[in-house]
Amino acid sequence: MDENNTMGELDELFGDDELEMQQNERIVLTQNLQGFASCFPNWDLHPPVK
């Protein structure tokens, strides 16, 4: 069995998982941040400019 071929097959199987995990993590972090921000009124997050 050719080592390059084996690594290529492994990369095909598992290569996209890291990108997908990063995207899912970003979605979860965004949802967490939005949930946290919803605890505060808008004026508290963005004080009025005088």
Side-chain angles (χ1 to χ4, degrees):
M1 192 177 271
D2 187 353
E3 185 177 325
N4 288 336
N5 189 25
T6 303
M7 292 304 289
E9 289 176 14
L10 286 174
D11 194 36
E12 285 178 25
L13 288 174
F14 300 107
D16 293 338
D17 285 346
E18 186 173 341
L19 178 60
E20 188 174 327
M21 279 186 358
Q22 287 175 347
Q23 290 172 339
N24 289 340
E25 187 174 298
R26 192 172 301 124
I27 290 169
V28 170
L29 290 174
T30 299
Q31 290 173 342
N32 286 346
L33 182 58
Q34 289 172 345
F36 176 73
S38 72
C39 296
F40 300 94
N42 271 345
W43 57 264
D44 195 27
L45 294 176
H46 306 283
V49 178
K50 294 182 180 180

